[in-house]
Amino acid sequence: TMPSIFSYQSAEVDWCEGNFERSAVIAEYYNTVNRTTLFSLFIPLNFLVLEGAGQSLFPAGIFSTYFHMTLSYVGQLLDELSILWTLAAAYSFWYPQVYFPKFIKSRKHFLWLTGITTLISTLMSFVKPALNAYALNCIAFHLLYLMWRELKKCDDKRVHRTATAMVVWWVLAISSWISDRWLCGLWQAINFPYFHSFWHILIAMSLLYCCPLVIYFDVSYEMPSFKPKIRYWPSDSWFAVVPYVALEKPYKQC
């Protein structure tokens, strides 16, 4: 008989960490605890960096924790689809209008295009769920391409510093994800199968730098009377900082 889609370990994906080694109810202990801790820590940072928009990251954190706890088929789909719909929301509201396809004439039309594309992608995700994570990671290359195009038009050193940090954290993150996925036998042989936990931390750090950049460029396009500035908390001189966007007073345009 087919296992229940809610059953433990009914998912198509199983990460490298051993299952039920430290708890009888948590499949991947470190992936679950790590995700729960990060989710709790990044709640205030989400509001600091993206204000109300940070709430779109909440379901992804909750569903990811549920997935690693149960390794269920439903948990896997909820985890992946929450990320897909969060990305869709980000594209819908913050994708620069200058990059719209030529046949799209307004933000409203773009919302429809994004919605239809997301709906189709959602239905396709049920065909082969094991491929969903690879497809979602590929979206990062489009985001990096857009960032590169924007950086070519920007000479603000703080923006470039923030973008460089974002890319470095992302490279470390995707390297950890690929290592856990493709080199699991090696890590299990040396009793260190925790690279997916590193992925959680590193991709969160990359998002911490990505979000202010999205805000910066959105303000540049949508609020031309303001001049956005990247600031760092608690200090510019610190190695690890929380970047945020400050708006200078409106200035008169000729």
Side-chain angles (χ1 to χ4, degrees):
T1 59
M2 291 291 291
S4 168
I5 58 175
F6 291 96
S7 297
Y8 273 67
Q9 295 181 282
S10 57
E12 288 193 0
V13 175
D14 190 355
W15 300 99
C16 197
E17 182 183 348
N19 300 330
F20 303 104
E21 292 184 346
R22 291 167 178 81
S23 172
V25 296
I26 299 177
E28 295 177 342
Y29 182 81
Y30 287 111
N31 281 344
T32 302
V33 173
N34 165 286
R35 200 71 177 98
T36 304
T37 303
L38 277 176
F39 175 62
S40 300
L41 288 175
F42 271 77
I43 285 176
L45 293 181
N46 285 338
F47 281 101
L48 175 64
V49 174
L50 267 181
E51 297 182 355
Q55 297 178 52
S56 62
L57 297 174
F58 291 179
I62 294 172
F63 293 140
S64 178
T65 299
Y66 171 69
F67 168 53
H68 288 296
M69 179 179 176
T70 64
L71 290 179
S72 65
Y73 180 81
V74 167
Q76 178 188 344
L77 288 177
L78 287 174
D79 180 22
E80 294 163 349
L81 292 178
S82 64
I83 297 172
L84 172 64
W85 282 84
T86 297
L87 287 170
Y91 268 78
S92 297
F93 295 106
W94 294 300
Y95 193 77
Q97 194 161 340
V98 67
Y99 298 124
F100 282 3
K102 292 183 178 180
F103 62 89
I104 298 295
K105 304 301 181 183
S106 67
R107 176 70 62 179
K108 182 179 179 180
H109 292 162
F110 186 74
L111 286 172
W112 276 102
L113 175 64
T114 305
I116 293 171
T117 302
T118 304
L119 179 60
I120 294 172
S121 300
T122 298
L123 296 175
M124 290 179 62
S125 68
F126 289 87
V127 177
K128 186 63 177 175
L131 298 179
N132 293 345
Y134 293 94
L136 288 171
N137 275 312
C138 286
I139 297 176
F141 292 104
H142 183 245
L143 295 174
L144 290 172
Y145 168 71
L146 290 176
M147 192 65 65
W148 171 72
R149 291 192 61 175
E150 287 299 315
L151 290 174
K152 288 201 305 180
K153 300 183 288 185
C154 176
D155 57 3
D156 190 315
K157 292 182 179 180
R158 286 172 178 260
V159 174
H160 282 262
R161 173 187 170 183
T162 304
T164 299
M166 178 199 73
V167 172
V168 169
W169 286 116
W170 177 80
V171 169
L172 293 173
I174 197 65
S175 298
S176 296
W177 191 90
I178 292 173
S179 294
D180 188 273
R181 190 79 256 152
W182 294 354
L183 301 176
C184 181
L186 171 63
W187 306 131
Q188 289 182 338
I190 63 175
N191 198 29
F192 196 78
Y194 307 118
F195 276 88
H196 194 75
S197 291
F198 294 161
W199 151 262
H200 287 162
I201 298 170
L202 295 168
I203 198 63
M205 291 301 299
S206 183
L207 286 171
L208 188 65
Y209 287 85
C210 177
C211 291
L213 290 172
V214 172
I215 295 173
Y216 178 91
F217 292 121
D218 184 62
V219 170
S220 299
Y221 281 113
E222 304 296 334
M223 302 172 64
S225 61
F226 286 86
K227 187 175 183 181
K229 285 288 185 180
I230 296 286
R231 304 292 188 198
Y232 299 121
W233 181 87
S235 171
D236 288 8
S237 60
W238 285 40
F239 174 75
V241 297
V242 177
Y244 64 95
V245 176
L247 298 182
E248 292 189 349
K249 293 181 179 180
Y251 58 93
K252 293 182 179 180
Q253 294 183 334
C254 299

